[in-house]
């Protein structure tokens, strides 16, 4: 407890007043008893001298003195000095106002001076009256009154008074200590009360929160109960489902077991089947490999066959050239009627044979992929007229009419391969005439589509012939296909014409087809794409050359034109030479390109007919050299190539090497004569 008290800070006590620390009634009683016992006056004041208790045993002298202003002031001053001068013992001194002996002690609680306990108004044993009277004078009191009052004052030895004061000092100290204890206890109690209050407050808050929390918990409890009910329901459902699943599982297991048994059984069967199938696959693979290799062999054989056919027909055509040419020449001589007839038959037979050869050669070239189309400007109307003219004779002979219908909006010049177009037209027109006994053949040309770059034309060749049955139409455009063997015998033919036409038409960007009705007639149609003609091209100039008029002037006829023929094949060379000489030309013939160049250097020619394949120098090189040498001379010698039947790139090569034109072998003299005459005529004009 002592320890606890010591820990209380002094600041805790600083605000206490004397009256709050001590019970004033008890103190007053103590003070009164003390005065009564000792005969010593007593009073308790605050440190400034203000009385805190009622005075006990006060003398009338002091009461009189305190009635005067100076007396009261000096009295209080004196009290203050006594109370405040010492802390370790009582103070004893003479009063400043009345001259009596006073004593006093300070009451100090926890270092704070809170009051003075004063005692006194004693007359000491060795006082001098004369000395004391000066006090009466000081405070303005009459001396006699002073002396009279002084005689009432209690006398006490100094030692007695010292004992009284020491008693007072010890008493004051004990008071202080018990006051201190009292304060600490009061403070502790106060602190406890505060703590209690705080605890009560906390308690109230806690209770409030407990109530709130309880409410919350009750609410969430309700929710949990609901959830619980739902979960229980769900668990129940799941249990039901689980039971069903287990049941299904059992069923499934039974079925799987059954199925496994079945599968094991069928597995055995399958393994057997597998083995059979593997065997079969192996056989098939082997067969496939054999088929592929057979196919490759067949393709190789087919290519070899095509190449062989191309070579053969080319080789056959060279002697054919001789036969036809020589027959022509013979027919130009004087002959007996029967001789002329025989030779005419020879001629027509060879022409027919040549047709067959051309078909085979064409088809084999198409199959071997060595045919390329050329794009040159040409006059479509003119090509059509040529074809119609060609077939007019045979049509007339059969009593058939040949009609044509040409869309006038088609441009005069278009770009394409007119040789191949003529071939397709000839084929279809020839067939029309061949398979029609009476009526007419009609050729119609229309524009199917065009834009800035291309023009697509549609050609229709209709006849009133035997027609083709529906089931045969599909086979028509396949090679070697003829609708009826009996027809073949009746009409002849190779069965290649339509297959060749189909290929050529497709190469020209078009399609070919037929509509036909037996005993009514057929209508063959095809389309082809051509380019628009661009002016000023070198090629176009050549093709635009107008061969229509052949009015040879008297002057031209009178002078024999000189032609150089360069040809290594003896028969062909002889044929051309004889033919040209018979038609009034002077001919110099050489058998190689080198001699052709030498001849050109030696003398001037009006025209050169140049073969392509020759020893020493071929036709292209010889032409290039001639064109180089010509640069020093002031004229241009027309050079016409004599090419084999339109091989890939031949025509372009001819033009590129400097040739003006070309004619194909075997040479159809009646057709090329006009061309030769025209070149000679224009060459003469240019030279003049
Ligand atoms: P061919 O040289 O045999 O005439 P094509 O390929 O030109 O060969 O013709 C094949 C077959 O198509 C002919 O043999 C004939 O049976 C039939 N054919 C072609 N054109 C006509 C047509 N205008 N009228 C009737 N049948 C035709």
């Amino acid at each position: 407890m002592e320890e606890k008290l010591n820990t209380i800070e002094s600041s805790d006590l600083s605000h206490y007043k004397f009256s709050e620390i001590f019970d004033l009634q008890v103190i007053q009683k103590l003070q009164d008893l003390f005065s009564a016992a000792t005969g010593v006056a007593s009073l308790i004041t605050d440190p400034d001298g203000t009385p805190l208790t009622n005075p006990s045993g006060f003398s009338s002298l002091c009461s009189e003195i305190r009635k005067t202003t100076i007396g009261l002031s000096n009295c209080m001053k004196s009290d203050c000095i006594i109370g405040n001068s010492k802390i370790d013992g009582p103070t004893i001194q003479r009063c400043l106002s009345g001259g009596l002996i006073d004593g006093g002690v300070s009451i100090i609680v926890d270092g704070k001076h809170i009051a003075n306990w004063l005692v006194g108004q004693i007359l000491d044993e060795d006082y001098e009256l004369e000395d004391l009277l000066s006090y009466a004078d000081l405070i303005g009191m009459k001396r006699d009154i002073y002396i009279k009052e002084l005689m009432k004052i209690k006398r006490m030895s100094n030692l007695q008074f010292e004992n009284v004061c020491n008693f007072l000092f010890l008493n004051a100290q004990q008071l202080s200590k018990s006051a201190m204890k009292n304060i600490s206890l009061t403070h502790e109690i106060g602190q406890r009360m505060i703590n209690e209050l705080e605890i009560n407050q906390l308690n109230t808050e806690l209770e409030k929160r407990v109530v709130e929390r309880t409410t919350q918990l009750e609410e969430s409890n309700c929710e949990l109960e609901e959830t619980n009910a739902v979960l229980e329901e769900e668990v129940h459902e799941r249990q039901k489902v689980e039971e069903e699943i287990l049941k299904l599982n059992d069923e499934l297991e039974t079925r799987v077991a059954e199925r496994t048994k079945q599968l094991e059984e069928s597995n055995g069967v399958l393994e057997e089947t597998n083995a059979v199938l593997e065997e079969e696959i192996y056989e098939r693979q082997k067969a496939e490999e054999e088929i592929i290799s057979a196919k490759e062999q067949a393709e190789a054989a087919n290519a070899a066959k095509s190449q062989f056919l191309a070579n053969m027909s080319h080789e056959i055509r060279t002697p054919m050239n001789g036969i036809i040419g020589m027959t022509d020449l013979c027919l130009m001589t004087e002959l007996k009627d029967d001789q002329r007839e025989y030779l005419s038959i020879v001629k027509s037979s060879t022409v027919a044979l040549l047709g067959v050869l051309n078909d085979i050669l064409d088809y084999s070239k198409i199959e071997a992929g060595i045919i390329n189309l050329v794009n040159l400007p040409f006059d479509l109307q003119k090509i059509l007229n040529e074809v119609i003219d060609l077939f007019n004779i045979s049509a007339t002979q059969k009593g058939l009419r040949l009609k044509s219908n040409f869309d006038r909006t088609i441009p005069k010049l278009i770009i394409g391969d007119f040789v191949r177009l003529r071939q397709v037209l000839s084929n279809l027109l020839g067939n029309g005439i061949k398979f029609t006994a009476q009526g007419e053949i009609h050729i119609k040309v229309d524009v199917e589509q065009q834009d800035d770059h291309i023009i697509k034309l549609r050609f229709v060749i209709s006849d009133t012939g035997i027609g083709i049955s529906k089931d045969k139409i599909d086979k028509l455009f396949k090679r070697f296909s003829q609708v009826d063997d009996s027809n073949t015998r009746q009409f002849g033919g190779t069965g290649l014409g339509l297959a060749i036409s189909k290929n050529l038409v497709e190469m020209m960007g078009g399609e070919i087809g037929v509509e036909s009705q037996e005993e009514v007639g057929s209508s063959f149609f095809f389309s082809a794409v051509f380019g628009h003609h661009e002016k000023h091209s070198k090629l176009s100039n050549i093709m635009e050359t107008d061969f229509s008029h052949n009015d040879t002037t008297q002057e031209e006829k009178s002078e024999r034109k000189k032609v150089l023929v360069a040809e290594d094949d003896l028969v062909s060379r002889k044929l051309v030479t004889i033919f040209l000489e018979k038609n009034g030309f002077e001919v110099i013939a050489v058998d190689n390109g080198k001699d052709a160049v030498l001849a050109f250097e030696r003398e001037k020619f009006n025209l050169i007919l140049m073969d392509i394949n020759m020893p020493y120098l071929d036709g292209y090189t010889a032409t290039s050299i001639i064109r180089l040498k010509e640069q020093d001379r002031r004229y241009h010698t027309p050079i016409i190539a004599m090419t084999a039947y339109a091989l890939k790139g031949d025509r372009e090569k001819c033009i590129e090497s400097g040739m003006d034109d070309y004619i194909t072998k075997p040479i159809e003299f009646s057709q090329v004569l006009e061309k030769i005459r025209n070149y000679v005529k224009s060459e003469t004009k240019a030279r003049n």
Side-chain angles (χ1 to χ4, degrees):
M1 189 69 180
E2 192 72 26
E3 237 175 87
K4 205 170 177 192
L5 280 175
N6 288 341
T7 59
I8 296 173
E9 289 176 16
S10 57
S11 58
D12 292 334
L13 313 170
S14 60
H15 62 282
Y16 286 109
K17 288 180 181 163
F18 183 84
S19 57
E20 289 164 345
I21 301 171
F22 299 103
D23 186 341
L24 270 179
Q25 278 185 345
V26 175
I27 293 295
Q28 185 68 54
K29 198 151 194 183
L30 193 68
Q31 184 196 294
D32 290 345
L33 284 170
F34 172 78
S35 280
T38 58
V40 179
S42 179
L43 173 70
I44 296 173
T45 67
D46 68 11
D48 300 331
T50 311
L52 294 170
T53 53
N54 296 320
S56 313
F58 256 53
S59 68
S60 51
L61 173 65
C62 284
S63 301
E64 287 303 320
I65 291 168
R66 286 175 83 95
K67 282 177 189 166
T68 64
T69 316
I70 298 169
L72 179 65
S73 160
N74 279 355
C75 190
M76 281 181 78
K77 230 185 258 173
S78 192
D79 288 348
C80 287
I81 291 165
I82 292 168
N84 293 327
S85 57
K86 268 169 88 177
I87 55 162
D88 53 347
T91 306
I92 298 169
Q93 67 173 34
R94 196 169 291 285
C95 178
L96 293 173
S97 54
L100 298 178
I101 298 298
D102 289 332
V105 292
S106 302
I107 298 173
I108 294 167
V109 179
D110 196 29
K112 191 186 173 198
H113 182 193
I114 60 168
N116 293 326
W117 196 330
L118 304 172
V119 291
Q121 299 176 351
I122 297 291
L123 197 58
D124 59 333
E125 50 195 6
D126 359 281
Y127 75 91
E128 290 294 332
L129 187 63
E130 256 332 288
D131 291 343
L132 292 175
L133 284 173
S134 59
Y135 285 99
D137 297 341
L138 182 73
I139 58 175
M141 202 172 169
K142 285 180 181 163
R143 285 192 168 203
D144 55 328
I145 297 172
Y146 179 78
I147 290 168
K148 194 177 149 197
E149 289 297 324
L150 192 64
M151 288 306 122
K152 294 178 195 172
I153 293 301
K154 180 169 174 81
R155 290 194 192 178
M156 196 177 270
S157 70
N158 290 344
L159 184 65
Q160 263 184 319
F161 190 65
E162 261 180 49
N163 286 335
V164 167
C165 284
N166 281 332
F167 169 79
L168 188 68
F169 179 72
L170 287 172
N171 200 32
Q173 266 190 332
Q174 280 311 309
L175 271 178
S176 290
K177 276 188 184 171
S178 58
M180 180 75 182
K181 201 179 257 182
N182 204 18
I183 289 164
S184 297
L185 284 171
T186 311
H187 181 71
E188 200 173 316
I189 288 164
Q191 198 58 45
R192 283 196 185 188
M193 280 170 74
I194 290 167
N195 287 348
E196 217 164 88
L197 264 173
E198 281 176 357
I199 286 168
N200 281 344
Q201 215 173 329
L202 283 172
N203 224 16
T204 316
E205 271 177 32
L206 213 61
E207 273 175 9
K208 210 173 126 195
R209 283 171 64 191
V210 165
V211 169
E212 282 173 8
R213 193 82 192 114
T214 309
T215 317
Q216 280 177 2
L217 282 171
E218 276 172 3
E219 281 170 11
S220 62
N221 217 21
C222 278
E223 280 174 21
L224 276 173
E225 273 173 11
E226 279 171 24
T227 320
N228 223 16
V230 174
L231 281 173
E232 270 177 12
E233 177 75 14
E234 206 169 297
V235 166
H236 179 68
E237 291 294 324
R238 288 202 178 196
Q239 277 173 346
K240 258 169 72 183
V241 172
E242 221 164 80
E243 278 165 18
E244 278 170 24
I245 287 174
L246 282 174
K247 217 171 118 194
L248 282 173
N249 220 18
D250 286 348
E251 282 176 22
L252 214 62
E253 272 176 12
T254 316
R255 283 171 64 192
V256 165
E258 283 170 11
R259 193 88 190 105
T260 312
K261 212 174 135 197
Q262 280 176 5
L263 281 172
E264 275 170 3
E265 282 167 13
S266 64
N267 217 18
V269 179
L270 274 175
E271 271 173 13
E272 280 167 26
T273 321
N274 222 17
V276 175
L277 279 174
E278 270 176 14
E279 179 70 18
E280 207 167 296
I281 287 169
Y282 175 71
E283 291 297 327
R284 285 198 182 201
Q285 276 173 345
K286 244 172 79 181
E288 221 166 79
E289 278 164 20
E290 277 166 16
I291 288 170
I292 289 170
S293 115
K295 189 178 165 248
E296 281 167 2
Q297 280 175 15
E299 277 170 1
N302 200 34
K305 178 213 73 191
S306 298
Q307 194 57 51
F308 171 75
L309 281 176
N311 293 343
M312 281 306 290
S313 48
H314 193 79
E315 289 308 312
I316 295 168
R317 272 150 45 98
T318 312
M320 286 290 295
N321 201 16
I323 297 168
I324 295 173
M326 285 304 173
T327 313
D328 273 346
L329 289 176
C330 268
L331 282 169
M332 286 178 205
T333 59
E334 294 256 327
L335 293 169
K336 287 182 191 163
D337 285 351
D338 53 349
Q339 283 174 325
R340 183 167 298 279
E341 194 192 336
Y342 300 155
L343 276 177
S344 298
I345 293 168
V346 170
K347 167 91 191 276
S348 63
S349 303
T350 46
V351 168
L353 184 57
L354 198 62
V356 173
L357 276 176
N358 281 342
D359 271 1
I360 296 172
L361 181 60
D362 260 347
Y363 195 80
S364 47
K365 274 182 189 166
I366 288 171
E367 273 208 329
I370 52 173
I371 277 196
N372 246 13
L373 295 185
V374 291
N375 283 321
L376 292 169
F378 67 95
D379 183 343
L380 177 65
Q381 178 79 70
K382 200 175 147 203
I383 297 295
L384 272 179
N385 289 343
E386 274 175 24
V387 176
I388 291 167
D389 285 351
L390 199 69
F391 287 93
N392 222 350
I393 308 157
S394 52
T396 317
Q397 276 170 1
K398 281 184 87 174
L400 302 169
R401 283 186 304 279
L402 217 56
K403 284 185 181 172
S404 69
N405 193 333
F406 187 79
D407 182 346
R408 293 286 148 198
T409 63
I410 299 170
K412 183 171 166 55
L413 289 174
I414 52 175
I415 294 174
D417 194 325
F418 66 88
V419 174
R420 294 304 180 182
L421 175 65
R422 188 163 54 198
Q423 189 176 347
V424 177
L425 284 168
S426 305
N427 235 324
L428 299 180
L429 194 58
N431 277 350
I433 294 167
K434 186 158 69 169
F435 295 107
T436 305
Q438 58 189 38
E440 61 178 38
I441 321 292
H442 191 197
I443 305 177
K444 193 167 175 269
V445 191
D446 285 308
V447 177
E448 191 175 290
Q449 182 196 335
Q450 75 171 314
D451 58 26
D452 289 350
H453 308 288
I454 58 119
I455 178 162
K456 191 171 187 181
L457 300 178
R458 181 182 164 84
F459 301 80
V460 185
I461 296 97
S462 330
D463 62 56
T464 52
I466 60 170
I468 307 158
S469 66
K470 279 204 167 51
D471 55 316
K472 305 276 168 57
I473 280 181
D474 283 351
K475 296 200 308 185
L476 265 192
F477 298 96
K478 291 181 180 147
R479 61 181 175 165
F480 312 123
S481 125
Q482 286 169 329
V483 171
D484 193 339
D485 287 347
S486 62
N487 281 350
T488 315
R489 281 193 294 279
Q490 189 186 338
F491 298 107
T494 57
L496 278 175
L498 288 180
I500 293 170
S501 298
K502 182 175 188 285
N503 276 306
L504 292 177
V505 163
E506 283 167 1
M507 283 169 85
M508 287 191 276
E511 305 89 41
I512 193 165
V514 64
E515 280 167 6
S516 185
Q517 205 180 332
E518 273 182 299
E519 308 305 332
V520 177
S522 309
S523 195
F524 281 83
F525 51 84
F526 70 93
S527 56
V529 177
F530 301 93
H532 286 293
H533 172 57
E534 285 170 29
K535 296 222 180 281
H536 312 303
S537 106
K538 188 184 172 193
L539 297 182
S540 72
N541 289 339
I542 294 162
M543 299 315 300
E544 280 169 41
T545 313
D546 182 9
F547 301 123
S548 56
H549 49 91
N550 59 350
D551 49 331
T552 321
T553 59
Q554 225 24 64
E555 190 193 344
E556 283 161 5
K557 273 184 186 164
S558 60
E559 192 191 329
R560 287 184 82 201
K561 304 294 177 197
K562 204 187 273 183
V563 176
L564 172 64
V565 174
E567 167 66 79
D568 66 332
D569 180 66
L570 176 68
V571 179
S572 298
R573 194 167 66 243
K574 270 229 157 93
L575 254 176
V576 177
T577 308
I578 296 167
F579 171 74
L580 289 174
E581 281 173 351
K582 276 197 172 293
N583 282 283
F585 294 93
E586 183 188 342
V587 181
I588 305 292
V590 292
D591 63 1
N592 65 68
K594 197 173 143 199
D595 286 349
V597 176
L598 288 173
F600 170 80
E601 284 179 321
R602 235 180 5 249
E603 53 196 308
K604 278 182 191 169
F605 292 98
N606 297 96
L607 182 90
I608 300 173
L609 286 178
M610 183 82 80
D611 183 29
I612 299 299
N613 294 315
M614 288 187 291
Y616 307 122
L617 281 181
D618 64 22
Y620 304 128
T621 322
T623 305
S624 302
I625 296 171
I626 290 170
R627 289 293 177 235
L628 255 172
K629 292 187 181 292
E630 254 181 5
Q631 283 178 1
D632 305 332
R633 309 183 183 189
R634 309 207 70 194
Y635 63 87
H636 172 87
T637 310
I639 302 178
I640 298 177
M642 296 184 289
T643 73
Y645 195 64
L647 276 179
K648 204 172 181 177
D650 275 355
R651 297 159 206 230
E652 290 88 344
K653 269 173 142 182
C654 291
I655 305 302
E656 271 168 28
S657 68
M659 296 181 190
D660 298 79
D661 210 333
Y662 55 84
I663 53 181
T664 51
K665 288 183 189 174
I667 296 163
E668 279 287 335
F669 290 114
S670 53
Q671 286 172 29
V672 300
L673 186 60
E674 200 176 309
K675 188 177 269 196
I676 293 170
R677 279 197 177 130
N678 274 300
Y679 272 107
V680 171
K681 196 169 72 184
S682 27
E683 186 272 340
T684 315
K685 272 186 190 166
R687 210 184 287 186
N688 293 339

